[in-house]
Amino acid sequence: MNILLTGGTGLIGSEFIRQYSDKHSFTVISRNIAKAKDKLGDSVDVIENIASIKNFENFDAVINLAGEPIADKRWTDTQKKRICDSRWDITAELVSKINSCETPPSVFLSGSAIGYYGSQGDRLVTEVTSPRDEFTHDLCAKWEAIAQGVDQTKTRVVTLRTGVVLTQKGGALSKMALPFRLGAGGTLGSGTQYLAWIHLRDMVRAISFLLEDSACTGAFNLTAPEPVTNQVFSKTLAKALGRPCLFNVPSFVMKIAMGESSKMILEGQQVIPQKLTAAGFKFELPSVEEALNEIYSD
């Protein structure tokens, strides 16, 4: 396939290109063309913006993974607007381009997150679970609604409700592992809140699966089939690193440090990939023990 990819220099996008560059050709949108070329290699076409694409009909598929990192900064009103606009605006621009084509790309995969559901406690969450109205839900619901504005008589639409992606290449795990490496790791808050996660290898495999399977439409949870509590995750991470799990960071400390965004860590969601497994996808690393042992095997 000839694929247009936004967010191609990010953790997931760059790994997807690395894994599938022998199967697909890629065009990536990046404001820093030289930096993107340096990271992705000369085989990837890099353009500065969507407006510069002269013939959108050349693409067989569009994968939209762009967006301001959601947990890197405190959720001030300004930062919330930046988080939203970085997702909504580029998605709307892609939808407009796709709908303007006489022969549009056959499939549009667009990012979302399990934040769509809001905090759910220990309730088992599938794609049909009713969401809780809060910032992350509002963000993801509008993001998905914009993507669903594509003319679906011509283009199949899939939204990717992604959990915490685990990899040694960066992202959330490197931040979670640091206290353990320093011998000061432990549980966060009550420790009973769930973490819905997915190994990067299965993440890119799932994107490829959804890209290829024409029967897959709508929202899919991209999480491993075995979500775990923060306590279980912390102990498993400590074991994989050969470090102790001795401490507890109280909820009020997390709230002071992170503000409103601490809810994502302190409340959590027990999300399972019901539609993905029903469609026939097989996880290579379904348990957190397997995933973390693979990541830290060296």
Side-chain angles (χ1 to χ4, degrees):
M1 288 185 180
N2 187 18
I3 299 173
L4 175 67
L5 179 61
T6 71
T9 59
L11 191 70
I12 298 168
S14 60
E15 181 66 12
F16 187 80
I17 291 171
R18 191 184 75 81
Q19 291 281 353
Y20 295 100
S21 58
D22 59 338
K23 186 175 182 179
H24 305 298
S25 58
F26 292 95
T27 298
V28 167
I29 296 169
S30 176
R31 286 170 291 186
N32 191 327
I33 293 177
K35 186 177 179 181
K37 277 282 190 183
D38 184 58
K39 181 170 186 175
L40 302 175
D42 293 333
S43 65
V44 176
D45 292 329
V46 182
I47 56 176
E48 192 170 5
N49 51 54
I50 296 170
S52 64
I53 301 173
K54 294 179 179 178
N55 191 352
F56 217 81
E57 296 187 350
N58 285 339
F59 297 111
D60 303 303
V62 178
I63 303 176
N64 176 32
L65 303 176
E68 172 86 3
I70 195 166
D72 282 8
K73 299 177 182 178
R74 291 178 73 91
W75 286 354
T76 62
D77 289 344
T78 300
Q79 182 61 11
K80 281 184 175 181
K81 186 176 187 304
R82 187 177 292 118
I83 289 169
C84 291
D85 290 349
S86 67
R87 288 161 172 78
W88 297 346
D89 291 353
I90 195 167
T91 305
E93 195 173 357
L94 289 169
V95 169
S96 177
K97 279 283 190 179
I98 292 170
N99 285 342
S100 68
C101 295
E102 193 167 314
T103 309
S106 61
V107 57
F108 179 40
L109 269 55
S110 190
S112 185
I114 58 171
Y116 174 90
Y117 302 106
S119 302
Q120 295 283 343
D122 60 1
R123 183 183 185 187
L124 196 65
V125 177
T126 72
E127 287 85 355
V128 297
T129 298
S130 297
R132 180 177 171 185
D133 190 17
E134 53 191 67
F135 170 64
T136 57
H137 169 69
D138 294 341
L139 165 67
C140 294
K142 184 170 178 179
W143 194 9
E144 292 186 16
I146 294 169
Q148 292 290 343
V150 163
D151 181 355
Q152 295 179 49
T153 64
K154 297 180 179 180
T155 301
R156 177 169 59 92
V157 178
V158 179
T159 52
L160 313 172
R161 293 179 182 168
T162 305
V164 175
V165 178
L166 302 183
T167 173
Q168 62 184 349
K169 298 181 179 182
L173 184 59
S174 61
K175 297 176 183 178
M176 291 188 281
L178 182 59
F180 290 91
R181 292 186 183 280
L182 298 174
T187 58
L188 303 176
S190 68
T192 60
Q193 72 275 26
Y194 276 88
L195 177 72
W197 60 274
I198 186 170
H199 190 286
L200 180 60
R201 185 198 300 173
D202 280 329
M203 179 71 197
V204 297
R205 289 180 60 248
I207 292 175
S208 179
F209 179 89
L210 294 169
L211 188 70
E212 302 280 355
D213 191 334
S214 61
C216 294
T217 61
F220 280 77
N221 293 336
L222 266 60
T223 61
E226 299 178 24
V228 292
T229 64
N230 178 264
Q231 183 179 54
V232 170
F233 181 84
S234 298
K235 289 181 177 179
T236 308
L237 177 57
K239 184 178 179 181
L241 289 167
R243 296 289 193 273
C245 182
L246 302 174
F247 301 95
N248 170 260
V249 181
S251 297
F252 77 89
V253 174
M254 297 295 295
K255 290 175 182 177
I256 291 170
M258 298 179 65
E260 185 184 351
S261 64
S262 65
K263 290 177 68 175
M264 293 191 299
I265 295 171
L266 295 174
E267 297 183 11
Q269 302 144 314
Q270 190 180 186
V271 181
I272 60 171
Q274 187 174 76
K275 283 180 65 177
L276 190 60
T277 52
F281 181 79
K282 305 295 184 186
F283 285 82
E284 290 186 357
L285 297 159
S287 76
V288 74
E289 184 174 15
E290 290 173 292
L292 291 175
N293 284 344
E294 191 279 336
I295 289 170
Y296 296 115
S297 58
D298 295 336

